Amino acid sequence: AHAAPEPLRIGSKRFTESYVLGEVLVQAASRAGVPAEHKPGLGNTAILFAALRSGSIDAYPEYTGTIAAEILKSSGPLDLATINARLAPLGVAATVPLGFSNSYAIGVREDEALRGNLVTLGDLVRAPRLALGLSHEFLGRRDGWPGLKAAYSLPHSPTALDHGLAYEALNAGQVAAIDVYTTDAKLARGNIVLLEDNKKFFPRYDAVILHRADTPKHYPMAFAAFAGLEGRIDEVTMRSLNARAEIDHVPFAEVARTFLDATPTTV
Ligand code: PBE
């Protein structure tokens, strides 16, 4: 007798897009005949990467800029080939890009941006008392606040907030600026101005799938289906999937199902 294979375990981080992409991967695998399960919202990058290496998950959605800066601790951006060369000794690999970049940016409430004539990140130097509310992971990352502060000589003392509550804190006037993720659905509401990164501090954050190097060998049909997702999710699509989940409150699984129904992944 042949033992039934363990389901493929997909992890996700604790923000809307990661949950949506986690569901997309689970359902893409299932549609390819591979039992798969989602371990949603496990935590931040460090937790997901540790879970991947220890084998408690098999794959999760990640971003090239995050792999370079936060996982590999690179001081500059890395292309995907270099990322894979540096991940190889860790027994981990990244797949093809899904088709969009989700970068960090600093967003200022429109009234404050107009009042202070704030257009670029460099302009923040002129507004040392602007209340910055930054997400927990951003506050600790080298491609987050510590690096941004150094690159632009920023004098601010930011407060920490959960990204899921950032736009509400901004609108309620508790803070005047936040770190945004550029595919956030709530950016479309329009009362927030993204400061231009004139020093090109932020790298690209192309969405990819991170997995242990040997996982595709055990789940070839699932990874063939994942390969079929290459370039299938552009920034407009990702933002609208995020909006369905976060603004229309459609369950993640249903957002993923509707997307896959409209996206043939046959390879
Ligand atoms: N990002 C921006 C972060 C969150 C949003 C994609 C670079 C990350 O998860 O690494």
Side-chain angles (χ1 to χ4, degrees):
H2 202 78
E6 294 291 319
L8 179 69
R9 289 151 311 161
I10 303 294
S12 57
K13 299 188 196 177
R14 207 167 290 179
F15 59 91
T16 302
E17 177 171 298
S18 199
Y19 290 100
V20 170
L21 291 175
E23 279 297 327
V24 166
L25 297 184
V26 164
Q27 292 182 28
S30 305
R31 287 173 188 221
V34 180
E37 63 186 40
H38 191 182
K39 296 194 166 194
L42 293 179
N44 63 17
T45 301
I47 289 169
L48 270 288
F49 192 68
L52 183 69
R53 288 197 75 196
S54 73
S56 60
I57 56 171
D58 298 309
Y60 76 96
E62 191 48 284
Y63 304 88
T64 52
T66 301
I67 300 170
E70 178 70 358
I71 293 176
L72 295 170
K73 308 294 179 195
S74 166
S75 53
L78 303 175
D79 64 24
L80 193 51
T82 309
I83 281 174
N84 272 317
R86 297 203 188 169
L87 285 173
L90 306 176
V92 171
T95 61
V96 294
L98 299 178
F100 69 95
S101 172
N102 176 8
S103 185
Y104 283 122
I106 298 297
V108 183
R109 206 176 49 245
E110 193 173 32
D111 58 332
E112 288 283 353
L114 288 172
R115 194 206 325 258
N117 189 24
L118 304 174
V119 176
T120 71
L121 285 167
D123 293 339
L124 285 176
V125 173
R126 288 192 281 99
R129 274 180 293 279
L130 195 77
L132 296 189
L134 302 180
S135 55
H136 298 281
E137 187 167 332
F138 186 83
L139 273 169
R141 283 172 57 154
R142 65 191 306 158
D143 58 338
W145 176 247
L148 188 70
K149 178 182 166 67
Y152 285 96
S153 308
L154 301 180
H156 309 75
S157 302
T159 54
L161 46 72
D162 189 289
H163 188 64
L165 306 172
Y167 290 85
E168 284 66 31
L170 191 75
N171 290 331
Q174 286 152 11
V175 295
I178 58 174
D179 62 302
V180 307
Y181 307 169
T182 53
T183 52
D184 279 341
K186 288 174 182 166
L187 279 177
R189 288 180 180 166
N191 57 342
I192 176 165
V193 173
L194 299 196
L195 298 181
E196 201 184 302
D197 182 13
N198 48 307
K199 292 192 176 170
K200 301 254 177 291
F201 170 75
F202 293 116
R204 285 188 64 84
Y205 293 87
D206 292 306
V208 295
I209 303 163
L210 209 53
H211 58 87
R212 279 188 315 290
D214 63 347
T215 305
K217 192 172 68 202
H218 300 302
Y219 301 94
M221 297 313 284
F223 279 78
F226 296 166
L229 290 171
E230 174 172 12
R232 291 307 183 108
I233 310 179
D234 62 17
E235 273 163 44
V236 172
T237 303
M238 192 66 242
R239 199 186 281 189
S240 79
L241 297 179
N242 289 338
R244 289 203 75 210
E246 196 167 296
I247 295 179
D248 304 337
H249 302 291
V250 176
F252 300 122
E254 193 180 328
V255 174
R257 191 175 313 119
T258 320
F259 166 73
L260 285 172
D261 282 347
T263 307
T265 56
T266 0
V267 283

